[in-house]
Amino acid sequence: MRAVRVTKAGGPDVLEVADVEPPAPGPGEVLVEVGAAGVNYIDTYQREGIYPMDTPYVPGLEGSGRVTALGEGVDGVAVGDRIAWAETLGSYAEQVVVPWAKAVPVPDPIADDVAVGALLQGMTAHFLVTDCRPLNSGEIVLVHAAAGGVGLLLTQLATAGGARVIATTSTAEKAELARGAGAAEVIDYTQVDDLAAEVRELTGGTGVDAVFDAVGRTTFDASLAALRKRGTLVLYGAASGPVPPLDPQRLNAGGSLYLTRPKLFDYIDGTEALRARADAVYTEVAAGRLDVRIGHRYPLEQARTAHEDLQGRRTTGKLVLLPS
Ligand code: NDP
């Protein structure tokens, strides 16, 4: 079968399409024909070696497709069923073996690319605003990179919960998308000298209740400075690079601030938690209350271009690879 393969850590050019042996499902696993593989920022961290990987490997943690064979002892799913997954390496391929306990059923009205667009990024947006920093109606939050995969979903969920979203984006087109997702105000953070001052002005000098920041190095200081007293900074990624070590005294000086650095996999810990969260997101999508924007569909051969576009800030919404 065709798959993307990485033989050494490096830039996007280490992503090569190769013919590899198709996998076979072991006990508790299912074989899937991949309909769409999700491209996520974590794939770039793994490719670059920021998260060390054993090589060679087939990248991609996320996908959606149809079950074609069952391993021993698999119960509750049949050949032909549609499933999706968000934590199974090897998804940039025509076929992948997925542990059934790490998979979720996909409701029929949801297409493969949308199922993928809603899963890792959708569950991330969901855990951030429901469990990590539950939002109350009337709260004001700052969402960075609001036209991105997570950003658009997070903005919609926060707005639906009654929060007022101040968004940041880097272009007018992205600003328009953020507004469409519900952002009340959008700041082009590439054009302002003092982002925190802009945010304070929009909040009558008070600052925001929470900041959702996955940009990291370039936004971190402004994010802290934009918080109200006892506000929370949710640092959930590092698209611009990792944040340097921090003196906790800064949280004191900023007004008894809270800082958390969460990851999705701690919030979908176990099959029940995973399926409950996926179901919550898919229910919103199927009901038309959560719009999943597929920013770009690439053939498997263009995985390299997908990574370049993602890291080059040229994308909006979800990127998917289509194996066939
Ligand atoms: P996005 O689609 O949001 O793409 C990243 C965006 O970040 C860009 O489009 C860009 O938006 C913004 N950005 C700002 N500065 C830079 C920079 N120097 N280089 C690249 N991008 C920059 O990606 P995802 O939705 O896939 O992921 C968003 C973030 O969420 C990532 O940091 C990822 O690691 C994190 N994440 C964390 C999870 C967790 O469990 N903690 C789970 C899933 C994702 P703009 O042009 O508007 O500035």
Side-chain angles (χ1 to χ4, degrees), residues 49-64:
I50 295 170
Y51 295 166
M53 305 293 288
D54 293 331
T55 52
Y57 73 95
V58 175
L61 295 172
E62 181 185 45
S64 171

Side-chain angles (χ1 to χ4, degrees), residues 41 45 121 124 148-150 170 174 189 214 236 238-239 262-264 313:
Y41 231 94
Y45 305 144
Q121 292 167 333
T124 299
V150 178
S170 69
K174 289 184 176 189
Y189 51 3
Y236 69 97
K263 66 173 182 295
L264 170 66
R313 300 173 80 163

Side-chain angles (χ1 to χ4, degrees), residues 84 103-107 110 115 118-119 122-123 126 268 271-287 289-290:
V104 304
V106 175
I110 301 182
L119 198 63
M123 291 194 296
H126 187 267
I268 48 170
T271 306
E272 209 177 313
L274 164 69
R275 291 192 183 150
R277 199 171 297 280
D279 186 55
V281 177
Y282 283 161
T283 299
E284 293 305 291
V285 173
R289 291 188 292 267
L290 187 62

Side-chain angles (χ1 to χ4, degrees), residues 152-177:
L152 280 174
L153 299 167
L154 182 52
T155 300
Q156 290 178 71
L157 290 181
T159 309
R164 174 179 146 207
V165 172
I166 300 173
T168 61
T169 61
S170 69
T171 68
E173 184 214 347
K174 289 184 176 189
E176 217 30 59
L177 288 171

